[in-house]
Amino acid sequence: MDPKKSRDHIVDIVLLAFRAQRYSLSESHLGVHFPPYLFEAFLAQPVDDDKSTAKVGNGAAVFTLPKRKEEPWDQLMLSAADKEIKKDLREKALIRHQEKLCAASKAKSEKQQAEKKYALTTMMKLEQEERENIQKIKDFERQKTTAELEAWQQKQKDQRHTETQIDTREKSRMGICEAKAKSDLTNNSGLKSRTLVELPVPRATGSIQVTFTPRVFPTALRESRAAEEEEWLRKQAEARRVSSDALGDLKDLKEEERNPDWLKDKGDKFFATGDYLGAVNAYSLAIRQNRKMPALFSNRAACHLKLKNLHKAIKDSSEALELLTPAVPANAAARARAHVRRGTAFCQLQLYTEGLQEYQAALKIDPENAELQMDTQKIRDIIQGSAEEGQT
């Protein structure tokens, strides 16, 4: 410890070579804690602890303690014999230190509360200003809308007033014209009588019945072959007429199995699923009941092609073509399919010339079919290649 008395009104105390962690100061007591040591100084005279300062660092602690009275001290600290006085000073210093801490804590709490109150007041003020601004904008927009509405209503009112004036002037003008017309009619009554007498008598009314010949085919009469079309219709009607004699040995069949159209649909479903034998059986049963439906023979020919029954395919295709007569636009697609299927069977039998004739017949019916054109050209190439090999 190094006490200094540089001035009469200040006491300097310097503690060297330690690391202080905390200290306490009252007007007559100074305590410094630097574990494991505790330094206490019981001052001989009181000092102003509120104005006192302390600097701790670099292994030293410097305390500057202003005196209560500006006068020299005979001694810095009380002697060791004054134990009771020291005890009393220590307790008072402790109480004063606690009071200072409580006061500081209370001041800090009051400061925080004041800051919170100020922040809340400021926020409320800002929110109030924002609400006022929003209300001003609303009032301005309301006034603007009201002014526009009043202007529009005034415009409508002026327009109606103008229209009323125009109607009034028009009615006045019409009244003048009518009066003038009445005057002219009065002056020219003889001319009016002659004009009415010269008007022609109204014509008698009547009705004209118009009938049209019903047409089954969409082609015009001048472009169709009526006799051939009528023959085709007759054959189609006959094909759908089931003879009771043909069903004598089919009495055990269900009601739908006795319907050729139902059997045809059944065969189509079998063909779509790849059950070609089932499709052949369905078509065959339908043919037994009605041999006048060309679609049954044509579809069974397609099944025989899948099963490699080529001769049967040719036979069924020929049956279908025979039933598809006369050649009319309504059965053009069916005839083209029958020719293609018979031509395919001929080609698979390596009878390419006959197959080419069938494909050419189909191409003549449907000349715009690109796939059919391609297949026909392939058959020509095969025939030409065979001819060239024979010449070689």
Side-chain angles (χ1 to χ4, degrees):
M1 181 180 69
D2 184 10
K4 297 180 181 179
K5 298 181 181 179
S6 59
R7 293 180 297 276
D8 292 341
H9 63 283
I10 293 178
V11 177
D12 292 334
I13 298 177
V14 181
L15 301 178
L16 301 174
F18 79 102
R19 294 182 180 179
Q21 289 188 357
R22 61 180 180 271
Y23 64 91
S24 61
L25 176 64
S26 66
E27 62 181 8
S28 299
H29 178 266
L30 173 64
V32 181
H33 183 218
F34 50 103
Y37 305 105
L38 175 64
F39 170 77
E40 282 186 321
F42 295 92
L43 303 176
Q45 298 294 332
V47 296
D48 191 349
D49 55 346
D50 293 332
K51 297 181 180 180
S52 300
T53 61
K55 296 182 180 179
V56 180
N58 297 325
V62 180
F63 296 91
T64 302
L65 312 175
K67 298 178 181 179
R68 290 282 186 185
K69 297 180 180 180
E70 298 181 2
E71 60 183 13
W73 290 1
D74 295 335
Q75 58 184 10
L76 178 63
M77 295 182 295
L78 297 176
S79 62
D82 301 329
K83 293 183 178 180
E84 294 297 330
I85 298 175
K86 290 181 179 180
K87 182 179 179 181
D88 184 54
L89 290 175
R90 186 183 297 112
E91 291 177 354
K92 289 182 179 180
L94 181 60
I95 294 172
R96 180 172 176 79
H97 182 67
Q98 291 178 350
E99 290 176 352
K100 289 178 68 176
L101 291 178
C102 291
S105 177
K106 184 178 180 180
K108 184 178 178 181
S109 177
E110 290 177 353
K111 183 179 179 182
Q112 290 179 350
Q113 291 293 333
E115 290 177 349
K116 289 182 180 179
K117 184 176 180 180
Y118 175 75
L120 181 61
T121 305
T122 305
M123 187 179 298
M124 292 175 64
K125 184 177 180 181
L126 292 174
E127 290 179 353
Q128 181 65 25
E129 291 177 356
E130 185 177 358
R131 285 195 294 269
E132 290 176 357
N133 291 333
I134 294 173
Q135 187 63 35
K136 288 180 181 178
I137 295 173
K138 289 183 178 179
D139 294 339
F140 175 75
E141 292 294 333
R142 188 182 297 108
Q143 292 174 2
K144 181 180 177 182
T145 305
T146 304
E148 292 177 353
L149 179 60
E150 291 177 353
W152 179 81
Q153 290 176 347
Q154 185 63 33
K155 182 178 179 181
Q156 293 293 322
K157 184 177 179 180
D158 295 340
Q159 185 175 357
R160 287 195 296 270
H161 181 66
T162 304
E163 291 176 355
T164 304
Q165 291 180 348
I166 294 174
D167 292 341
T168 303
R169 290 196 296 268
E170 187 68 21
K171 289 180 180 179
S172 299
R173 188 178 63 84
M174 291 294 295
I176 295 172
C177 292
E178 288 178 358
K180 185 178 180 181
K182 289 180 180 180
S183 177
D184 293 340
L185 288 174
T186 304
N187 296 330
N188 301 319
S189 57
L191 180 61
K192 179 179 178 182
S193 301
R194 288 194 301 272
T195 303
L196 292 175
V197 172
E198 293 175 358
L199 289 176
V201 179
R203 292 178 293 179
T205 59
S207 60
I208 301 174
Q209 298 293 333
V210 179
T211 58
F212 299 94
T213 303
R215 295 286 300 160
V216 178
F217 294 93
T219 56
L221 180 61
R222 63 179 180 277
E223 299 175 358
S224 64
R225 292 170 292 180
E228 295 177 353
E229 291 178 355
E230 294 298 333
E231 179 64 19
W232 164 249
L233 292 175
R234 186 186 63 78
K235 287 188 175 183
Q236 289 297 307
E238 184 180 355
R240 288 188 170 42
R241 194 178 302 115
V242 181
S243 174
S244 59
D245 297 337
L247 300 177
D249 56 344
L250 301 176
K251 294 180 181 180
D252 295 335
L253 296 178
K254 298 179 181 180
E255 183 178 356
E256 62 269 13
E257 293 176 349
R258 298 161 68 90
N259 186 350
D261 293 324
W262 183 88
L263 291 170
K264 177 183 174 300
D265 294 337
K266 197 71 173 178
D268 295 343
K269 293 178 181 178
F270 284 143
F271 185 87
T273 57
D275 187 2
Y276 304 119
L277 286 176
V280 167
N281 293 334
Y283 293 138
S284 299
L285 182 58
I287 290 171
R288 287 184 59 190
Q289 300 178 53
N290 191 344
R291 299 185 59 86
K292 300 296 184 180
M293 295 178 64
L296 297 175
F297 291 98
S298 180
N299 292 359
R300 192 170 70 172
C303 295
H304 285 313
L305 282 175
K306 295 292 185 180
L307 296 171
K308 302 301 180 182
N309 299 329
L310 303 179
H311 293 285
K312 291 183 179 181
I314 294 172
K315 181 178 179 182
D316 282 345
S317 299
S318 301
E319 289 284 348
L321 288 170
E322 184 176 351
L323 292 172
L324 290 169
T325 54
V328 292
N331 60 16
R335 286 186 287 112
R337 286 194 296 270
H339 281 297
V340 168
R341 288 165 183 171
R342 188 162 67 176
T344 303
F346 279 132
C347 291
Q348 292 185 9
L349 290 171
Q350 296 185 357
L351 301 174
Y352 296 109
T353 303
E354 290 79 357
L356 179 60
Q357 293 176 356
E358 296 297 329
Y359 270 87
Q360 287 175 342
L363 193 60
K364 186 177 180 181
I365 298 172
D366 189 7
E368 302 297 331
N369 194 323
E371 185 178 357
L372 193 56
Q373 294 174 0
M374 189 182 301
D375 293 339
T376 305
Q377 186 60 40
K378 288 180 181 179
I379 299 173
R380 287 198 187 97
D381 294 340
I382 293 173
I383 294 174
Q384 291 177 0
S386 301
E388 290 177 358
E389 290 178 1
Q391 291 176 359
T392 303

